[in-house]
Amino acid sequence: MNLDERHLEATRKNFEAGMDRPLPTTLPPHKTVEPHIYPSTSYIAALDGTDQQMFFLPYSPDQGIAAWGVLYVELDTQHPHEEPYRDGPSGGFLITEDLFYYHLTMDLPNREESRRFRNDFYAIRQTLSSARPTEPPLLNPKFNNKKGVRTLAAVERATGEWLSLRAAITHQLAPGSLVLKDGRFNCQIEQAASWVDELGRTSVRNDVRCVAVVKSGSVYSALFPIVREIAKKTDRAFYFLIPSEIIEESYANDKYKRKTLMLGGKDHTDLAGIGALWTAFCPDPKNFTTFVILEFNLYDLHHYKRLAYEPQSLRKWQKDILKAKVDESDLTNTIHVTDLVIDDKDIERLVEPTIRELLWLCEQEVSHFGYPNLLGIAHKEVILTSEKINIIRQKYREAFANSNELLNELFDNTLDITAHKLHNIY
C-alpha cells in the first residue's frame, strides 16, 4: 500500500469513526464566506514533506536507507497564473537535479559503516550538484534513538519541515505574506518547545501569518457529523470555531493530551506548541469531507500579539497581564489551547480574511479544490512514489559505485591558496 492509499485509508477510518458519533445538542454557529485575495497579502506560500524507505536488509527490515524531502512553493498574488516559485523537487518526471532535494537517512548494523556512508553521501551530493552545500538537520542526540530507519527519516523530515518554515519566515517571505504548513503546530519531541515558541513570535515580528492545515486526529474525527449537518444547510463555503468542549472531550483519555493541548514553551522538557484558535473550514459543502482544521499562530491573536515583542513567558502573560485561566493544579501552571482569551477582533481581522484567501486558493485550480491550492501542490508533488523511488535507487547506486573515485578526485585537487575572491579590474 503506497502513501496515497494509506492516506485514503486513514481518511476512511476517520470518516467512519466520525459518523458513529452522536450530534451535539446544539450545532456550533457557522459563517459562510466568499473567496477574496487582499491587496495587503503579497505572497502565499506552502510547504510539506515526505519520507520513504529505499533499501532494507533482508534479515532486518527496519534497517537500511530511507529518503526524505521537503517541498516549499510560493505564489505571487499579483501574478497568480504564473508558475509558483519552488524550493524542492519538481512534480513531474524526476530529473537528476531533483535527486539532491532528497536527503538520505542510514541505519546500518555497523555504526562506523553508517557514519562513513552518510559522510560519503554528503560529499557526493556537494560534488555532483550545483545546489548549495547542505547538511542534515541538527537533532538532539538524546532523542535520536528511534527504532527503524523509516522512523528516523520521519523524525528528520519533521525537523526539516520546521527548518523550512523558519527559513520562509526569516528570509524568504515579504511582510504581509501568508504561509501554510501541513500538519499540527505542536512541536515534536525532537524540537525544543522554546524553539517553536520563538518561531511563532518571530513570524509576528516579521509580519508573516502562519496557518497549520490539519486533516487527521481525534478532533478532526469528532467534527465529521457536525460538518456534514451544517453542509446540508448551505451551498457556500463555511467555517466555525471549534468549541472547547469538543477539543477537551476528544483528548480526555489521550495519553498525549499534554502534548496536544499545551501552549507556550518553557524549556526543552515541555511538549508544547503555538497552534491556537482551532477553526473548521469546509470549502465545498457538496463534498463536506474536504473540510480541514486550521490552527492559527498563538501570537497572531489580539491579546497575545504584543507578547511577541515582550521578553515574557506565555504563563506570566496569561496569569498576570490577562488575568486569565491557567491550570493551578499543575506545578508548571499549564496553559491549554482552550484557556486562551479570544477576541471578536480575532475573527474579524485574522480568521475570516485568511479563510477567504484560502478559498480563493482552492478555486484557482479545480483539480486541487478542497485542499488549499498551494498546499495541495506541495502535498502531491513532494511524495516519494514508487516510480520516484526506483529512479532514486538507481541514481544512488550509480553515485555510490563511484564514490571512492569522486572522493579521491575531491581530495587530490590542487589547493588554491589565492584570495577568497578575485576581481579582475583593467
Side-chain angles (χ1 to χ4, degrees), residues 243-391:
S244 298
E245 315 83 73
I246 291 179
I247 296 174
E248 295 284 5
E249 181 187 344
S250 297
Y251 295 104
N253 299 316
D254 193 335
K255 65 179 181 178
Y256 296 115
K257 179 178 179 180
R258 176 177 168 86
K259 171 182 176 180
T260 301
L261 300 183
M262 191 173 121
L263 290 165
K266 184 185 63 173
D267 54 35
H268 290 250
T269 64
D270 278 340
L271 295 172
I274 57 172
L277 197 56
W278 294 3
T279 303
F281 166 49
C282 180
D284 182 10
K286 294 177 182 176
N287 181 12
F288 74 92
T289 61
T290 59
F291 86 92
V292 295
I293 295 174
L294 305 177
E295 288 187 7
F296 292 89
N297 179 7
L298 161 69
Y299 296 102
D300 273 329
L301 302 190
H302 174 72
H303 290 292
Y304 302 89
K305 204 174 186 76
R306 190 158 62 88
L307 174 57
Y309 300 88
E310 300 286 343
Q312 290 189 30
S313 69
L314 174 62
R315 288 174 182 80
K316 184 172 178 60
W317 190 265
Q318 180 87 352
K319 189 174 181 179
D320 299 346
I321 306 298
L322 299 182
K323 310 296 182 186
K325 181 182 176 183
V326 294
D327 186 353
E328 299 287 1
S329 65
D330 190 324
L331 293 177
T332 60
N333 287 341
T334 298
I335 299 166
H336 293 96
V337 69
T338 49
D339 299 335
L340 296 175
V341 181
I342 306 300
D343 194 279
D344 288 342
K345 296 184 180 69
D346 292 323
I347 314 304
E348 176 189 341
R349 300 176 182 176
L350 175 63
V351 175
E352 185 147 324
T354 301
I355 286 178
R356 294 184 73 187
E357 292 185 324
L358 293 184
L359 186 59
W360 177 85
L361 274 179
C362 287
E363 296 190 347
Q364 292 304 297
E365 188 174 332
V366 175
S367 64
H368 290 294
F369 191 86
Y371 208 62
N373 175 264
L374 286 180
L375 200 52
I377 292 174
H379 179 77
K380 181 180 179 182
E381 296 189 1
V382 75
I383 266 184
L384 281 162
T385 61
S386 56
E387 291 81 9
K388 282 186 178 181
I389 281 290
N390 288 335
I391 296 172

Side-chain angles (χ1 to χ4, degrees), residues 77-371:
T77 59
Q78 303 306 310
H79 303 91
H81 301 297
E82 291 185 1
E83 186 70 20
Y85 163 81
R86 70 170 61 223
D87 183 7
S90 63
F93 185 77
L94 191 72
I95 57 177
T96 302
E97 287 75 13
D98 291 328
L99 180 67
F100 301 105
Y101 285 114
Y102 291 105
H103 303 253
L104 294 190
T105 298
M106 296 91 178
D107 184 16
L108 303 172
N110 185 314
R111 287 183 177 274
E112 180 61 25
E113 187 179 358
S114 289
R115 185 190 63 77
R116 180 177 56 78
F117 202 37
R118 182 185 284 267
N119 288 345
D120 278 4
F121 163 61
Y122 281 101
I124 292 167
R125 180 189 177 100
Q126 194 167 333
T127 304
L128 293 183
S129 75
S130 58
R132 59 186 181 279
T134 58
E135 57 186 39
L138 299 176
L139 301 175
N140 186 338
K142 176 182 175 183
F143 299 122
N144 197 12
N145 57 0
K146 300 293 189 298
K147 177 176 173 56
V149 67
R150 178 70 188 276
T151 307
L152 282 170
V155 167
E156 295 193 11
R157 185 259 307 152
T159 306
E161 288 178 13
W162 277 107
L163 292 174
S164 180
L165 181 62
R166 183 178 67 175
I169 290 168
T170 57
H171 303 303
Q172 292 169 258
L173 289 172
S177 296
L178 166 66
V179 59
L180 307 175
K181 176 187 179 298
D182 187 79
R184 298 290 312 280
F185 262 154
N186 62 301
C187 74
Q188 306 298 318
I189 200 168
E190 297 79 28
Q191 294 91 37
S194 53
W195 188 91
V196 174
D197 188 71
E198 180 55 33
L199 187 61
R201 295 175 186 241
T202 302
S203 67
V204 172
R205 296 195 291 264
N206 289 3
D207 190 22
V208 175
R209 276 174 296 151
C210 288
V211 177
V213 182
V214 184
K215 291 205 71 165
S216 63
S218 299
V219 173
Y220 186 81
S221 178
L223 292 177
F224 262 102
I226 298 173
V227 175
R228 177 190 60 182
E229 203 63 24
I230 295 176
K232 294 176 182 178
K233 306 176 187 299
T234 182
D235 59 355
R236 295 165 60 191
F238 64 88
Y239 73 92
F240 60 88
L241 304 190
I242 302 174
S244 298
E245 315 83 73
I246 291 179
I247 296 174
E248 295 284 5
E249 181 187 344
S250 297
Y251 295 104
N253 299 316
D254 193 335
K255 65 179 181 178
Y256 296 115
K257 179 178 179 180
R258 176 177 168 86
K259 171 182 176 180
T260 301
L261 300 183
M262 191 173 121
L263 290 165
K266 184 185 63 173
D267 54 35
H268 290 250
T269 64
D270 278 340
L271 295 172
I274 57 172
L277 197 56
W278 294 3
T279 303
F281 166 49
C282 180
D284 182 10
K286 294 177 182 176
N287 181 12
F288 74 92
T289 61
T290 59
F291 86 92
V292 295
I293 295 174
L294 305 177
E295 288 187 7
F296 292 89
N297 179 7
L298 161 69
Y299 296 102
D300 273 329
L301 302 190
H302 174 72
H303 290 292
Y304 302 89
K305 204 174 186 76
R306 190 158 62 88
L307 174 57
Y309 300 88
E310 300 286 343
Q312 290 189 30
S313 69
L314 174 62
R315 288 174 182 80
K316 184 172 178 60
W317 190 265
Q318 180 87 352
K319 189 174 181 179
D320 299 346
I321 306 298
L322 299 182
K323 310 296 182 186
K325 181 182 176 183
V326 294
D327 186 353
E328 299 287 1
S329 65
D330 190 324
L331 293 177
T332 60
N333 287 341
T334 298
I335 299 166
H336 293 96
V337 69
T338 49
D339 299 335
L340 296 175
V341 181
I342 306 300
D343 194 279
D344 288 342
K345 296 184 180 69
D346 292 323
I347 314 304
E348 176 189 341
R349 300 176 182 176
L350 175 63
V351 175
E352 185 147 324
T354 301
I355 286 178
R356 294 184 73 187
E357 292 185 324
L358 293 184
L359 186 59
W360 177 85
L361 274 179
C362 287
E363 296 190 347
Q364 292 304 297
E365 188 174 332
V366 175
S367 64
H368 290 294
F369 191 86
Y371 208 62

